[in-house]
Each structure stands twice: as structure tokens, then as C-alpha cells.
Amino acid sequence: MNTTELERDFQNKIDNEIRIEPKDWMPDNYRQTLIRQISQHAHSEIVGMLPEGNWITRAPSLRRKVALLAKVQDEAGHGLYLYSATETLGIERDETIEDLNSGKAKYSSIFNYPTLTWADIGAIGWLVDGAAIMNQVPLCRCSYGPYARAMVRVCKEESFHQRQGYEIMLTLCRGSEAQKNMAQDALNRWWWPALMMFGPSDSDSPHTAQSMKWKIKRFTNDELRQKFVDITSPQADFLGISIPDDNLKWNEDEGHYDFGEPAWEEFYDVIRGNGPCNAERLNARKKAYNEGSWVREAALAYAKKKSNSENLVQVA
Ligand code: FAQ
């Protein structure tokens, strides 16, 4: 088959909801788009451990500490499945991690904000995991098999994270005045960055149209942002705290909430590396990578020794 026929065959499969698997032919741009998106997603999970890890030693009770530890470990697991899914596209894990450490690869803008109080851990679970689920449930139907399958388990775990975050918020909102204020302050600081997680407006999103055609994305950035606002606004009402948006109001005719425009300048500034914690996050990742080099060297040396001794046994 020539390239035109291969491309037609490939798009036919996608149109007929047949998954693309690693050994199938795929256009180079499809491969590159997936490498970009899945590796950015993997980096987000790993960098996303840092803001919450900051609170493990200061969790207010043993129960909270255990749940937070489990959550942070889950994020590490998500990162590992996603790095593995990226490798199925023919790129080495070392190269992807090098791209993160050098600042070349992006990770989600949200993780460049600081976690100042315990309520931030509640707000992250409620809003950040909530936004992550909204974006990731459709990815379970992504056209690329290894990514779609990895997302099934990730979404189940994110759903638990979202609930534990909301329960922290509920406890604070039903607590003392000071605790409720803390919850409100966390919502004030995390609301807009959570909306930015969905990416730029559709009109400014260079990748959405092609990714929709390839069924990597099933919804546009704006569609998912709208769904998130529609689901989250009543949850804030139930907590008794206010979303910091004067333009947020129920639109009876449209059957959804109208809401204000995120500060896109801030979003672009953060993804250019100038957010409040970008430097801190990258330094933490680089330090962990450097300090872990002896583990990687030991594992390689062991694998080599093992394979040498197996070869000797075979020769004998
Ligand atoms: N942050 O044309 P689009 C989590 C970039 S996981 C940084 O719209 P696309 C779990 C984009 O890469 C959170 N950069 O791009 C957790 C592109 O840059 P490039 C991560 C962003 O790919 C919870 C440019 O802007 N989730 O939270 C962002 O079609 C709690 C143009 O954008 C995923 O990665 C952003 N927010 O749509 C962990 C999900 N938005 O490469 C710990 C998978 C956009 O051209 C604790 N990814 N950019 O230079 C996706 O669904 C998509 O990649 C989007 C962006 C929707 C993020």
C-alpha cells in the first residue's frame, strides 16, 4: 500500500471505532501528537505529587495522612503507566524524562501553584482531580489502545481522590468559622487555575481540531470546561462557599452555567515557566533524578549480570 492508501485505511479504522495498536501503521503526526500528550500527562502526574507531598507530614490526623499517602502513591503509579504507554510509541523513557528535566516538555500548569494550607489538599482533590476526571473519562475512548486502557484504572483512582478531597472540604465547611474561611480561601486560589487545566479556548487551541478527527480527544477544551463548571457549581453551593466569579450564573435557556473568562495571560505565563512554583518543581524533579542515578545503575548492572549468567548456563 502507498502512503495515501495507508492513511485512508488508518482514518477508516478510527471512524469505525477500531483501536490503533502499537504495531499498526500510523501517520507520523499522530505518533508525535500522542508522544507529546501522553508524556505531558505522565509528567503532570509525577510533578503533581509534589504540591500534595508537601502536606503528608502535616496532615491533621492519621486517617488523613494514610489517605493522602495513598493518593500520592496512586499519582506515581499513573505516571508509570503513562510513561509505559509513551514507550509503546517508540520513544525511550530516558528521553521523555530528559525533556521534562530540561524544561522542554510541558506538564500541567496547575502544579505550579503552592499549597499554602491544609484546605488546599481538599481543594486539589475536589477541583484538580475533578477536572482531571472530566478530561480523562473521555480518554478511556481514545483511539490509541495503550493510552485508552491505561486511563480506565487511572479514572477509577481519580474518582476516589476527588471524593476524599470533597470530604476534606465538607469537613472544613461544617467546622469552625476559621476552617470555613480556610476552605473559601483555597477555593478562591484554585478555581481559576483549575479551569485553565482544560487548555486554551478552542479558538486558540492549535491541536484540538486534528486531535478530534483522530479521536484522541472526544471533546474540545471549552466543552469539557463547561461540563466541569456545570457539575462543580452546585457542589460549591452545597459546601456553602462561593466560586470567585461574578459572572457565574445559571442560564435557564441554555441549561448550563455562564461563567467568566480565565486570565489567559496568566495561563501562558505559567506554561512559559514563570508560575509561582515552576522553578521549585523542576528543581525537585532534577534532584530526585540525580539522587536516583545509583538505583538505575545498580538495576542495569544486575540485569547485565543476570543475563551473562543465563548465557553461561545455556552454553554449558
Ligand atoms: N498546562 O492545542 P492545545 C492530573 C499546552 S493530570 C500546560 O489545547 P492539546 C492528575 C498544550 O500542551 C493533569 N500546558 O493542546 C493529578 C499545547 O502545547 P504544545 C494533566 C497546557 O494537547 C491530579 C498548547 O498548550 N492532564 O491532574 C495546558 O490538544 C491531582 C496548546 O494547547 C493531562 O495531561 C495546561 N493546562 O490539549 C495529579 C490530560 N493546556 O505542546 C496529581 C491529557 C494546554 O503545542 C494531583 N492531556 N497546554 O507546546 C490533554 O487532554 C490535552 O493535552 C490538554 C491540552 C487538554 C491538556
Side-chain angles (χ1 to χ4, degrees), residues 67-105:
L68 184 58
L69 260 175
K71 178 183 193 292
V72 172
Q73 279 181 336
D74 285 351
E75 311 301 358
H78 300 172
L80 296 182
Y81 313 144
L82 289 164
Y83 282 127
S84 298
T86 318
E87 284 178 303
T88 65
L89 290 153
I91 184 162
E92 294 287 328
R93 186 176 303 206
D94 279 350
E95 194 178 334
T96 355
I97 291 176
E98 173 53 33
D99 284 349
L100 170 68
N101 290 350
S102 69
K104 184 175 160 207

Side-chain angles (χ1 to χ4, degrees), residues 29-49:
N29 286 347
Y30 178 82
R31 188 184 297 280
Q32 294 311 324
T33 298
L34 283 168
I35 290 176
R36 178 185 64 78
Q37 175 166 328
I38 308 175
S39 63
Q40 173 184 304
H41 194 165
H43 301 327
S44 304
E45 300 282 354
I46 298 295
V47 178
M49 296 165 71

Side-chain angles (χ1 to χ4, degrees), residues 16 20 89 126 145 153 158 160 184 244 273 280 291 307 311:
N16 289 300
I20 307 300
L89 290 153
W126 174 35
R153 176 158 174 190
E158 300 290 24
F160 159 75
Q184 178 66 63
E280 187 184 329
E291 287 176 357
S307 111
N311 287 343

